[in-house]
């Protein structure tokens, strides 16, 4: 069966939206946010120009759906790290910290979309995106609280503020890496180690 026939079959089974999102992620990497359009997406997938509009009313809704998938995938990665029992708490925290940076570095266009001004500065996030993005950060707050209770992170700091500062630090390192200011991966690894040490060295019992 040809790709076009596969797509038509998937469409009839209600899977075209997933197919479009996968193709949109590829297009995002190839042409960036500015070059992405519903018309180009239809051409890439091999469907009519009107087909994507059955699932995304405009480009903004498509971008929000792509970002939504990004948050879902990152939270799944974070949950896997949090559930690991083969490493100690410090290694778990290091894995979480570096996992975030690596996720951003491996998906720079997607990361820009997830946290950049294209969606959030314009106040154009869909309810579906908000319902995924906000709980994703709340999950990090819950992780931070657990690590405080376990003695890994300082428990004399406000949990929300500590989670925010941790996120801001990870985001800052990620941006330096994505923007090419620190292109040397060894620098990034050392920066992550330094940040983890700073967050964990003032533990209180």
């Amino acid at each position: 069966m040809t790709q076009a026939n596969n797509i038509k079959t998937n469409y009839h089974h209600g899977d075209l939206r997933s197919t479009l999102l996968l193709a949109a992620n590829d297009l995002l990497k190839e042409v960036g946010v500015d070059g992405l359009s519903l018309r180009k997406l239809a051409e890439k997938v091999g469907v009519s120009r009107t087909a994507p509009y059955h699932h995304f009313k405009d480009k903004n809704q498509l971008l929000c759906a792509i970002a939504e998938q990004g948050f879902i995938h990152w939270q799944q990665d974070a949950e896997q790290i949090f559930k690991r029992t083969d490493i100690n708490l410090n290694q778990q925290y290091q894995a979480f910290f570096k996992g975030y940076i690596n996720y951003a570095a491996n998906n720079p266009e997607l990361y820009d979309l997830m946290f950049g001004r294209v969606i959030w500065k314009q106040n154009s996030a869909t309810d579906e995106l908000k319902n995924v993005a906000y709980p994703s950060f709340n999950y990090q707050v819950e992780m931070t609280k657990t690590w405080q209770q376990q003695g890994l992170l300082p428990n004399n700091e406000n949990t929300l503020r500590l989670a925010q500062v941790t996120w801001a630090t990870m985001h800052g390192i990620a941006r330096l890496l994505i923007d090419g200011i620190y292109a040397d991966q060894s620098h990034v690894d050392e920066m992550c180690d330094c940040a983890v040490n700073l967050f964990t060295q003032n533990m209180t019992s």
Side-chain angles (χ1 to χ4, degrees):
M1 184 179 288
T2 65
Q3 180 181 6
N5 287 334
N6 268 324
I7 291 170
K8 289 178 181 178
T9 300
N10 287 342
Y11 176 75
H12 288 302
H13 286 286
D15 293 334
L16 182 58
R17 188 178 190 277
S18 297
T19 302
L20 289 169
L21 280 174
L22 287 173
N25 270 290
D26 290 339
L27 268 179
L28 183 66
K29 295 176 183 178
E30 295 168 10
V31 300
V33 171
D34 292 337
L36 181 61
S37 69
L38 289 169
R39 178 183 60 80
K40 288 182 180 179
L41 179 58
E43 291 175 355
K44 186 176 182 65
V45 173
V47 294
S48 70
R49 292 188 178 185
T50 59
Y53 288 93
H54 291 291
H55 303 276
F56 312 103
K57 69 177 182 179
D58 53 27
K59 180 176 177 177
N60 178 71
Q61 193 173 79
L62 172 63
L63 294 178
C64 287
I66 297 171
E68 181 184 340
Q69 291 298 307
F71 279 105
I72 290 173
H73 292 155
W74 161 241
Q75 182 163 336
Q76 289 173 342
D77 289 349
E79 289 174 352
Q80 289 302 312
I81 294 170
F82 194 57
K83 293 175 182 177
R84 289 184 64 178
T85 58
D86 60 318
I87 54 179
N88 62 38
L89 288 177
N90 191 271
Q91 291 171 328
Q92 188 184 76
Y93 189 65
Q94 287 179 325
F96 169 75
F97 206 98
K98 292 184 178 181
Y100 183 98
I101 307 301
N102 288 331
Y103 187 81
N106 293 332
N107 305 278
E109 297 85 3
L110 175 60
Y111 186 82
D112 281 341
L113 190 59
M114 291 167 62
F115 296 104
R117 65 175 59 208
V118 171
I119 293 175
W120 300 105
K121 188 70 172 180
Q122 303 302 322
N123 195 30
S124 57
T126 61
D127 289 339
E128 291 80 5
L129 175 56
K130 292 177 182 179
N131 290 337
V132 170
Y134 295 158
S136 179
F137 176 70
N138 289 337
Y139 181 72
Q140 183 183 332
V141 176
E142 293 174 8
M143 292 172 66
T144 300
K145 183 177 182 179
T146 299
W147 278 323
Q148 286 179 299
Q149 293 171 342
Q150 293 172 329
L152 177 67
L153 297 177
N155 58 25
N156 59 337
E157 294 291 345
N158 177 274
T159 299
L160 176 59
R161 296 293 175 256
L162 183 56
Q164 289 172 327
V165 171
T166 301
W167 179 32
T169 302
M170 294 189 299
H171 181 70
I173 295 175
R175 284 257 46 105
L176 290 174
L177 179 59
I178 290 174
D179 293 340
I181 298 175
Y182 281 97
D184 189 334
Q185 185 64 45
S186 67
H187 292 176
V188 175
D189 288 340
E190 292 172 4
M191 290 167 71
C192 288
D193 290 338
C194 178
V196 168
N197 290 337
L198 287 173
F199 282 120
T200 60
Q201 72 176 358
N202 294 320
M203 293 185 301
T204 58
S205 58

